[in-house]
Amino acid sequence: MKQLVVGIDIGGTNSVFGLVDREGNMYGEGVVPTRKYPDFDQYLEELYIGINNLLKTVDIEYELVGIGIGAPCANHYKGTIDNAADLVWKGVLPFTEKMKRYFPNLPVILTNDANAAAIGEMIYGGAKGMKDFIVVTLGTGVGSGFVANGQLVYGHDSFAGELGHVIVNHTGRMCGCGRKGCLETYASATGIKRTAFKLLADHIEDSEFRNISYNDLTAEMITKAALNGDPLAIEAYEYTGMVLGRALADAVAITSPEAIFLFGGLAKAGKYIFEPTKKYMEMYMLSNFRNKVKLLPSAIDGKNAAVLGASALVWQEKDGEN
Amino acid sequence: MKQLVVGIDIGGTNSVFGLVDREGNMYGEGVVPTRKYPDFDQYLEELYIGINNLLKTVDIEYELVGIGIGAPCANHYKGTIDNAADLVWKGVLPFTEKMKRYFPNLPVILTNDANAAAIGEMIYGGAKGMKDFIVVTLGTGVGSGFVANGQLVYGHDSFAGELGHVIVNHTGRMCGCGRKGCLETYASATGIKRTAFKLLADHIEDSEFRNISYNDLTAEMITKAALNGDPLAIEAYEYTGMVLGRALADAVAITSPEAIFLFGGLAKAGKYIFEPTKKYMEMYMLSNFRNKVKLLPSAIDGKNAAVLGASALVWQEKDGEN
């Protein structure tokens, strides 16, 4: 009988869930509008109904073997979501405990989005068979999942992997975390917008971006302009790659990974982000690590990446038991 | 019957070895002058004779259960010492393979000094029972051993844990590795000397150090001056603690340890290094890690620390088997 897992990706706007097998094939998916349910218990009820409806649509014989959940501010050890600014519910939410009431005989496993992406990469993606690698998510912010000795590094409190909040410049840009110069103020979708505006200030050349407000500018527009050969957009990516490449060189010195996978919005810029990042990573790397670490695009990055990553949590735990 | 392990600490000048039980008690030790044997095979022969002589002096019934070795540039996976600049033998040395010819039925385990210190801390010292911690060795250079999920992070090539070569200032001090601004150019015994000389250049106040050449100055002299209330020496430690504390805050963001242990020369300065390091570590830490990570002196740091660390490798492997 086919074994299937429910993967749930909890976002501020929507919670997307899907049924996934060990090979990463999807057997249907569903959505619950997170924001519509300010009452946490009502949200869980809706999520349960949605999952149950999805399970009824499956037309093969299957066994449900677990629930994997990716969420912001997730505490893997406690199964809680702790004070997530992007979610409608405040405080510490006992997510897995409450989910287990609906699915009493199944493992329910929770982690944050970047960790889920890393485990997804290991189970379904480019990190299959790797024991030591890093996944860096380049979205609105920068997240990361570090895998060492075949295990995700959760750390003592489950909040390890905050590569986006390594400080790359102590006199640098203000970060939402209240400090200055965090990597994510440079190497995220928001960071490259800031870099584009810095370049508009520094340079005198004309640019299509001079007619666009900060709030209207998107990383996708910068990527598109780079693809069209816009010098300022290309320079913005070059600078982003320099800051990211240096930070990755430092991360390599600590965990010496076999590969680093870039995931999310900025990674879609292809060579515009990969080439400078690789160049500066090698340039600033300690010599004994040079030309050994692969810099790769995520192999699960696509429409269902977050659901896949969440579902992978269950397979990884099952693999560990065998 | 008492189980004992041989721990061997290979240094450029001397190789020290000792017999150690699971609790870290020493049952005698010996020394082979490393530099006296430019022929590697002859060195191994002498080391074997020395260990054998030591074994004969033990007056309790015992079982020898393994050999643990700490050495510079040690490749844990391959059991080799790779191009160690501080040792008389050049190239890649198949250390464990050759040792196994002398001790064919025993596990022979090799790692670098900082990793051995970390495992020693876990087996005998302050990290007993901890799953996630960092040991930072503040000697002539800066080394480190990262433990996550109860396992040492060796990385893909076994050379992980190079915290001393994280770059803290891209326009900073020249490092022996050929790059600029590595942590160890600031937070080592050599680094604090450089800081003292920088302060002599920046300030006009008189200081006892104005009569001492760079080559004559030692970190111990700076520590002693700090203990006597010398403002320049105290400022040198304050600066060292700032650079180290910031680097530790970044390391915490990556692996979220329960504790960080400081080991080696500079750690002996007590509050002069611990207080500023702790202060700046907390100041520059991402808020959700603040006031959670213990900064502690190593509990095995002393006369036999390196031999203890080396011997711990064997107990850790045995513990993993049980």
Side-chain angles (χ1 to χ4, degrees):
Chain A
M1 201 164 16
K2 197 82 183 172
Q3 291 194 322
L4 295 178
V5 156
V6 177
I8 310 173
D9 170 51
I10 300 174
T13 310
N14 285 313
S15 296
V16 184
F17 50 91
L19 273 167
V20 189
D21 69 12
R22 180 63 183 76
E23 285 68 47
N25 301 304
M26 294 280 285
Y27 293 74
E29 57 180 314
V31 180
V32 166
T34 317
R35 201 167 288 159
K36 210 177 136 187
Y37 301 100
D39 182 87
F40 182 55
D41 289 321
Q42 201 196 335
Y43 163 81
L44 288 172
E45 183 74 26
E46 287 299 320
L47 187 60
Y48 173 66
I49 292 167
I51 292 169
N52 247 340
N53 287 339
L54 176 61
L55 291 173
K56 285 176 199 154
T57 67
V58 182
D59 56 3
I60 57 162
E61 274 201 75
Y62 71 93
E63 178 198 6
L64 192 63
V65 296
I67 316 270
I69 306 152
C73 303
N75 185 322
H76 172 73
Y77 297 140
K78 296 183 177 165
T80 54
I81 297 178
D82 295 6
N83 309 303
D86 292 343
L87 299 181
V88 278
W89 322 294
K90 299 305 153 206
V92 174
L93 307 160
F95 206 100
T96 60
E97 185 194 315
K98 294 213 167 189
M99 277 300 274
K100 272 176 181 291
R101 291 188 200 163
Y102 292 106
F103 301 97
N105 301 313
L106 293 181
V108 179
I109 309 168
L110 173 77
T111 193
N112 76 37
D113 322 49
N115 289 344
I119 293 176
E121 204 66 50
M122 183 159 58
I123 296 292
Y124 309 120
K128 269 183 204 166
M130 289 188 186
K131 296 262 181 212
D132 302 276
F133 66 94
I134 308 171
V135 169
V136 183
T137 61
L138 306 171
T140 313
V142 172
S144 67
F146 282 70
V147 172
N149 298 310
Q151 292 184 285
L152 198 98
V153 176
Y154 283 109
H156 184 54
D157 62 356
S158 134
F159 295 113
E162 286 285 5
L163 189 69
H165 291 284
V166 159
I167 293 177
V168 298
N169 179 358
H170 283 282
T171 57
R173 297 176 180 172
M174 285 298 306
C175 183
C177 76
R179 303 177 308 158
K180 274 187 179 176
C182 293
L183 177 62
E184 77 170 29
T185 67
Y186 299 88
S188 60
T190 321
I192 200 165
K193 271 177 61 165
R194 295 171 81 163
T195 298
F197 267 60
K198 169 77 163 58
L199 293 175
L200 288 173
D202 288 349
H203 292 308
I204 54 165
E205 287 82 1
D206 200 16
S207 159
E208 59 182 281
F209 300 133
R210 294 207 187 270
N211 296 313
I212 301 169
S213 76
Y214 183 87
N215 284 339
D216 286 339
L217 184 64
T218 64
E220 291 74 26
M221 289 159 74
I222 301 171
T223 305
K224 207 174 158 191
L227 290 166
N228 289 330
D230 181 85
L232 188 138
I234 291 169
E235 191 177 339
Y237 267 108
E238 178 83 9
Y239 182 79
T240 305
M242 181 188 74
V243 177
L244 180 58
R246 286 171 165 184
L248 295 182
D250 283 344
V252 166
I254 292 178
T255 66
S256 183
E258 178 175 355
I260 299 172
F261 296 88
L262 302 185
F263 180 105
L266 279 200
K268 296 198 173 55
K271 71 171 183 177
Y272 294 102
I273 186 72
F274 277 88
E275 286 180 5
T277 303
K278 175 81 175 162
K279 177 176 73 180
Y280 290 104
M281 180 175 90
E282 296 294 348
M283 189 185 295
Y284 286 96
M285 192 113 82
L286 186 61
S287 63
N288 56 334
F289 297 115
R290 242 172 244 160
N291 301 313
K292 283 159 82 174
V293 183
K294 297 167 208 145
L295 185 71
L296 300 169
S298 164
I300 62 159
D301 200 355
K303 186 170 155 281
N304 296 314
V307 170
L308 279 179
S311 68
L313 296 167
V314 178
W315 300 120
Q316 198 219 10
E317 191 154 296
K318 282 182 71 71
D319 289 358
E321 285 165 5
N322 298 338
Chain B
M1 198 163 18
K2 196 82 183 172
Q3 292 193 322
L4 295 178
V5 156
V6 177
I8 310 173
D9 170 50
I10 300 174
T13 309
N14 284 313
S15 296
V16 185
F17 51 91
L19 272 167
V20 189
D21 69 13
R22 180 63 182 78
E23 285 68 47
N25 302 304
M26 292 281 285
Y27 292 75
E29 57 180 313
V31 180
V32 165
T34 317
R35 200 167 290 160
K36 210 178 135 186
Y37 301 100
D39 182 88
F40 182 55
D41 289 322
Q42 201 195 337
Y43 163 82
L44 288 172
E45 183 73 28
E46 287 300 320
L47 187 61
Y48 173 67
I49 291 167
I51 292 169
N52 247 342
N53 287 338
L54 175 61
L55 291 173
K56 285 176 197 152
T57 67
V58 182
D59 55 5
I60 57 162
E61 274 201 77
Y62 71 93
E63 178 198 4
L64 191 63
V65 296
I67 317 270
I69 306 152
C73 304
N75 185 321
H76 173 72
Y77 297 140
K78 296 184 177 163
T80 55
I81 297 178
D82 296 4
N83 310 302
D86 292 344
L87 299 181
V88 279
W89 322 293
K90 299 304 155 207
V92 175
L93 306 161
F95 206 100
T96 60
E97 185 194 316
K98 294 212 167 190
M99 277 299 273
K100 271 176 182 289
R101 292 189 198 163
Y102 292 106
F103 300 98
N105 301 313
L106 294 180
V108 179
I109 308 169
L110 173 77
T111 194
N112 77 36
D113 321 50
N115 289 344
I119 293 176
E121 204 67 48
M122 183 158 59
I123 296 292
Y124 308 121
K128 269 183 206 168
M130 289 188 186
K131 297 262 179 211
D132 302 277
F133 66 92
I134 307 173
V135 170
V136 183
T137 62
L138 305 171
T140 313
V142 172
S144 67
F146 283 70
V147 172
N149 298 311
Q151 290 184 285
L152 197 96
V153 176
Y154 282 110
H156 184 54
D157 62 357
S158 135
F159 295 113
E162 286 286 3
L163 189 69
H165 291 285
V166 158
I167 293 177
V168 298
N169 179 357
H170 282 281
T171 57
R173 298 176 180 171
M174 285 297 308
C175 183
C177 76
R179 302 177 308 156
K180 273 187 179 175
C182 293
L183 177 62
E184 78 169 29
T185 67
Y186 298 88
S188 61
T190 320
I192 199 166
K193 271 177 60 167
R194 296 170 82 163
T195 298
F197 267 60
K198 169 77 163 60
L199 293 174
L200 288 173
D202 288 349
H203 292 308
I204 55 166
E205 288 82 0
D206 201 15
S207 159
E208 58 182 281
F209 299 134
R210 294 207 186 270
N211 296 313
I212 300 168
S213 75
Y214 183 87
N215 284 338
D216 286 340
L217 184 64
T218 64
E220 290 75 27
M221 290 159 74
I222 301 170
T223 305
K224 206 172 160 194
L227 290 166
N228 290 331
D230 181 85
L232 188 137
I234 292 170
E235 192 177 338
Y237 267 108
E238 179 83 10
Y239 183 80
T240 304
M242 181 187 74
V243 177
L244 179 58
R246 286 171 165 185
L248 295 182
D250 282 345
V252 166
I254 292 178
T255 66
S256 182
E258 177 174 357
I260 298 173
F261 296 88
L262 302 185
F263 179 106
L266 279 201
K268 296 197 173 56
K271 69 171 183 177
Y272 294 103
I273 186 73
F274 277 88
E275 285 180 6
T277 303
K278 175 82 175 160
K279 177 176 72 180
Y280 290 103
M281 181 176 89
E282 296 294 349
M283 189 184 295
Y284 286 95
M285 193 115 81
L286 186 62
S287 63
N288 57 331
F289 298 115
R290 243 172 243 160
N291 302 313
K292 283 159 85 176
V293 183
K294 297 167 206 146
L295 185 70
L296 300 168
S298 164
I300 63 159
D301 200 356
K303 187 171 156 282
N304 296 315
V307 169
L308 279 179
S311 69
L313 297 168
V314 178
W315 300 120
Q316 198 220 10
E317 190 153 298
K318 282 182 71 71
D319 289 359
E321 286 164 7
N322 298 336

